[in-house]
Amino acid sequence: MLFALICKDRAGRLQVRLDTRPEHVAFLEGLNGEKKLAFAGPFLDTDGKPNGSLVVVEAPDLAAAEALSAADPYAKAGLFESVEIRQWNWTFNKPAAA
């Protein structure tokens, strides 16, 4: 099953995001290597600066998706104000390999 992790950054935490980014990227690369990552990227504010994240992961159930979300270095660093996890169905423009 696919789950969308919709993450909103806490206000004024851009430096936390920047400082933690290398660990976050390594975490996502690990998920990708385990075939658990569908896609990911930041939400941007009106100035083009990141202010949240969208991460879509493959997990057997909601509990496993929650565990993946909690393991993200951004979450561990306290970057997120909120994280909404929703089961998601990739219907259109899905790559053949996904």
Side-chain angles (χ1 to χ4, degrees):
M1 288 185 261
L2 290 174
F3 291 88
L5 314 179
I6 304 162
C7 310
K8 181 179 177 185
D9 290 4
R10 294 180 191 276
R13 294 287 181 99
L14 180 58
Q15 194 59 51
V16 171
R17 176 178 275 275
L18 297 175
D19 291 346
T20 311
R21 188 172 189 281
E23 292 88 358
H24 170 73
V25 169
F27 172 75
L28 293 179
E29 288 173 345
L31 291 181
N32 195 44
E34 296 173 13
K35 307 286 187 212
K36 293 180 181 177
L37 179 67
F39 59 86
F43 290 112
L44 304 175
D45 66 14
T46 57
D47 295 324
K49 294 182 179 160
N51 65 357
S53 298
L54 172 62
V55 179
V56 177
V57 296
E58 177 86 31
D61 54 36
L62 179 59
E66 289 170 340
L68 288 175
S69 176
D72 186 327
Y74 280 168
K76 289 180 176 183
L79 176 63
F80 300 134
E81 174 181 301
S82 64
V83 178
E84 181 181 1
I85 302 175
R86 299 185 62 183
Q87 191 173 345
W88 186 70
N89 184 23
W90 196 339
T91 305
F92 292 99
N93 293 331
K94 182 176 181 181

